[in-house]
Amino acid sequence: MKNLQKVMAISLFPLLMDHVCQAQNPIIQTWFTPDPAPMVHNDTVYLFTDHDEDDAQYFKMKDWQLYSTTDMVNWTYRGTPISTETFQWAIQGDNAWASQAIERDGKWYWYICANDTIKKLHGIGVAVADRPEGPYSDPLKKPLVPGAFGYIDPSVFIDDDGQAYLFWGNNGLWYVKLNKDMISLGSEVIPVKELNDSIAFGPLVMKRDYQLNKRVLKTNYEEGPWVFKRNGLYYMVYAAGGVPEHMAYSTAKSIHGPWKYQGRIMNEAANSFTIHGGSIEYHNRHFMFYHNGALPNGGGFRRSTCIEEFKFSEDGKIPFIPFTKEGVRTPVRNLNPYQRVEAETMAFSYGLKTDRRAGSQHYITSIHNGDWLKVRSVDFGEKGATNFSACVAGLMQGGSIELRIDALGGSVIGTLEVSPTGGSEQWKVQTTQVNAVKGVHDLYLLFKGGDEELFNVDYWIFNH
């Protein structure tokens, strides 16, 4: 049976077809991916996300996911490395809240928020691995920061002098020094005292105080801090204004403040009452990540990562950043189709899912007739391609992969008739000839077949 996202998308197919001609946002369509936390390491952008369940009617989040890119337009699923089950102190099930990860001295530290089984409040934990995709383990077997009201949305930052800090908070803002081991605290928890100062975080707003159970005049800051440093100035980007949230930021000359409010940088996200994100610099370009509820079946509890490119002003200010469907218009580099391309690498897709497991081996699944994926800026070179191979697995007879360029309705350069392999993970490389195609094109893989699920795809490659 097709997943709920796919069923809901059927009635929106004409809109989606129009959207895909230009669309990059949201950047992941296989799962709902709220609370994006990007990190640049060794010329790769890693994207750590939460995961809203397809049937969520409230915050229903069981695990965390990982994606990566080297071109900012095509994103590769790198697995679901951790879940609430990774943390024995966490209530299991649907409380895998916002997170952020960082690398230090060859180790990866993934800071998460989950419900503490003892205090029944949100606690901040950390998982550690040798690689971004894991395997991860919980070295503490307890929260790094014990649960307390508002203790959500951890943001980790390492200053130029090597001192690491962890910020967090909903309707409160706290931070702490981290020791060099990144899994122990180097100070007491420090509240940001100027939180209700309009100079620091903007004009006070009326919003509900859940502890007092009434509306009161409170800080413009809401949640989701994202801390970074540029040209000696500290920046804090955060969700602001209550519900629905917009994105704002403050700056400081010291990590300890005082902070100065700099204004709104994004409006309220489409079809979502929350917004959460962060900023990176990659190849001398700047990108702001956030989430919205714009995918089919999306909404306030089913949110998806988006990206907008922006430029700092000469005096270091972040401009107001409008939302776009196009997202990142120009790739950092073109994709090489003559090297193995993981099938779970895509700029946009319709109807597909990826596996939901840890490790480094992943594939696309839930493939039905009419589903497709798009890969942007594929450089076939001056010589051009002569054949196409895909590693596939499945039981169905009669399915195919149709290769089109530049548009979903564009020229067909070849069709791979897929033979059954004996099982959903019985992999076999199958090959077909293609019409010679040269230069840079967007590539579409259109899947065709009967009414049942067709096959799984691990990777593909073109040959000269």
Side-chain angles (χ1 to χ4, degrees), residues 224-237:
W226 181 272
V227 181
F228 65 97
K229 188 177 184 181
R230 180 177 182 269
N231 295 337
L233 189 64
Y234 297 87
Y235 292 75
M236 183 182 296
V237 174

Side-chain angles (χ1 to χ4, degrees), residues 201 220 236-240 246-250 261 263-266:
F201 290 96
N220 182 54
M236 183 182 296
V237 174
Y238 48 88
H246 63 270
M247 197 177 290
Y249 82 110
S250 299
Y261 179 64
R264 176 188 291 239
I265 54 175
M266 279 187 162

Side-chain angles (χ1 to χ4, degrees), residues 406-454:
D406 298 328
L408 191 56
S411 299
V412 178
I413 62 170
T415 300
L416 176 63
E417 302 293 342
V418 177
S419 301
T421 66
S424 60
E425 293 195 22
Q426 298 295 314
W427 300 103
K428 182 179 179 181
V429 176
Q430 302 186 31
T431 302
T432 188
Q433 290 185 334
V434 298
N435 298 332
V437 56
K438 302 177 182 180
V440 179
H441 301 270
D442 291 344
L443 173 70
Y444 291 78
L445 276 61
L446 176 61
F447 303 100
K448 292 188 173 182
D451 294 333
E452 300 298 321
E453 189 168 343
L454 300 177

Side-chain angles (χ1 to χ4, degrees), residues 36 38 100 152-157 167-169 172-173 195 200-201 220-230 233-241 245-252 255 259-267 275-280 286-291 310 312 316-319 321 323:
Q100 188 179 341
I152 67 172
D153 299 350
S155 177
V156 62
F157 166 73
F167 285 77
W168 69 89
L173 181 57
L195 196 63
F201 290 96
N220 182 54
Y221 168 91
E222 181 71 16
E223 60 184 355
W226 181 272
V227 181
F228 65 97
K229 188 177 184 181
R230 180 177 182 269
L233 189 64
Y234 297 87
Y235 292 75
M236 183 182 296
V237 174
Y238 48 88
E245 300 170 346
H246 63 270
M247 197 177 290
Y249 82 110
S250 299
T251 59
I255 193 68
W259 294 94
K260 183 179 180 181
Y261 179 64
Q262 299 293 349
R264 176 188 291 239
I265 54 175
M266 279 187 162
N267 283 332
I275 193 168
H276 186 120
S279 174
I280 60 168
H286 298 278
F287 303 92
M288 187 67 72
F289 290 67
Y290 63 101
H291 68 226
F310 72 97
F312 284 89
K317 293 186 181 298
I318 301 174
I321 305 170
F323 300 130

Side-chain angles (χ1 to χ4, degrees), residues 33-45:
T33 53
D35 304 329
M39 192 229 166
V40 180
H41 180 70
N42 287 347
D43 201 36
T44 296
V45 178

Side-chain angles (χ1 to χ4, degrees), residues 278-315:
S279 174
I280 60 168
E281 180 179 352
Y282 186 56
H283 283 253
N284 297 315
R285 295 163 61 181
H286 298 278
F287 303 92
M288 187 67 72
F289 290 67
Y290 63 101
H291 68 226
N292 67 20
L295 278 186
N297 194 38
F301 303 114
R302 297 178 298 276
R303 302 152 297 172
S304 300
T305 293
C306 301
I307 310 173
E308 306 295 349
E309 187 168 0
F310 72 97
K311 292 183 179 180
F312 284 89
S313 66
E314 291 185 2
D315 59 0

Side-chain angles (χ1 to χ4, degrees), residues 132-442:
E133 65 269 26
Y136 284 86
S137 62
D138 175 8
L140 300 179
K141 312 303 181 188
K142 63 179 182 180
L144 171 64
V145 181
F149 191 85
Y151 275 29
I152 67 172
D153 299 350
S155 177
V156 62
F157 166 73
I158 301 176
D159 209 344
D160 298 335
D161 62 1
Q163 177 62 61
Y165 298 88
L166 192 67
F167 285 77
W168 69 89
N170 169 281
N171 278 289
L173 181 57
W174 300 268
Y175 71 107
V176 69
K177 287 183 178 181
L178 294 173
N179 290 323
K180 194 172 182 180
D181 64 10
M182 302 296 284
I183 61 171
S184 62
L185 304 184
S187 72
E188 297 295 323
V189 173
I190 306 167
V192 175
K193 294 181 179 180
E194 73 247 55
L195 196 63
N196 287 304
D197 184 344
S198 61
I199 295 177
F201 290 96
L204 302 183
V205 294
M206 290 294 298
K207 54 186 176 180
R208 178 165 294 281
D209 187 309
Y210 290 96
Q211 290 181 301
L212 298 176
N213 195 29
K214 65 179 182 179
R215 290 178 64 83
V216 297
L217 200 60
K218 297 185 69 174
T219 175
N220 182 54
Y221 168 91
E222 181 71 16
E223 60 184 355
W226 181 272
V227 181
F228 65 97
K229 188 177 184 181
R230 180 177 182 269
N231 295 337
L233 189 64
Y234 297 87
Y235 292 75
M236 183 182 296
V237 174
Y238 48 88
V243 177
E245 300 170 346
H246 63 270
M247 197 177 290
Y249 82 110
S250 299
T251 59
K253 295 180 180 179
S254 166
I255 193 68
H256 306 292
W259 294 94
K260 183 179 180 181
Y261 179 64
Q262 299 293 349
R264 176 188 291 239
I265 54 175
M266 279 187 162
N267 283 332
E268 294 78 7
N271 202 27
S272 173
F273 57 87
T274 62
I275 193 168
H276 186 120
S279 174
I280 60 168
E281 180 179 352
Y282 186 56
H283 283 253
N284 297 315
R285 295 163 61 181
H286 298 278
F287 303 92
M288 187 67 72
F289 290 67
Y290 63 101
H291 68 226
N292 67 20
L295 278 186
N297 194 38
F301 303 114
R302 297 178 298 276
R303 302 152 297 172
S304 300
T305 293
C306 301
I307 310 173
E308 306 295 349
E309 187 168 0
F310 72 97
K311 292 183 179 180
F312 284 89
S313 66
E314 291 185 2
D315 59 0
K317 293 186 181 298
I318 301 174
F320 178 78
I321 305 170
F323 300 130
T324 70
K325 292 181 180 179
E326 295 81 8
V328 179
R329 292 171 171 81
T330 305
V332 168
R333 55 172 64 90
N334 296 323
L335 185 141
N336 181 358
Y338 304 113
Q339 296 177 346
R340 169 172 166 159
V341 179
E342 301 302 322
E344 60 275 14
T345 298
M346 57 191 84
F348 210 88
S349 69
Y350 172 77
L352 305 175
K353 288 291 186 184
T354 51
D355 63 77
R356 190 171 174 174
R357 60 186 185 183
S360 57
Q361 299 299 315
H362 303 288
Y363 54 88
I364 57 171
T365 187
S366 189
I367 301 173
H368 295 81
N369 180 49
D371 293 347
W372 50 266
L373 67 84
K374 171 187 177 182
V375 185
R376 282 182 60 185
S377 300
V378 179
D379 189 355
F380 291 96
E382 295 182 2
K383 185 176 180 180
T386 58
N387 65 62
F388 169 85
S389 298
C391 183
V392 298
L395 295 169
M396 293 299 298
Q397 181 73 44
S400 65
I401 305 174
E402 197 170 85
L403 307 172
R404 294 174 176 261
I405 57 171
D406 298 328
L408 191 56
S411 299
V412 178
I413 62 170
T415 300
L416 176 63
E417 302 293 342
V418 177
S419 301
T421 66
S424 60
E425 293 195 22
Q426 298 295 314
W427 300 103
K428 182 179 179 181
V429 176
Q430 302 186 31
T431 302
T432 188
Q433 290 185 334
V434 298
N435 298 332
V437 56
K438 302 177 182 180
V440 179
H441 301 270
D442 291 344

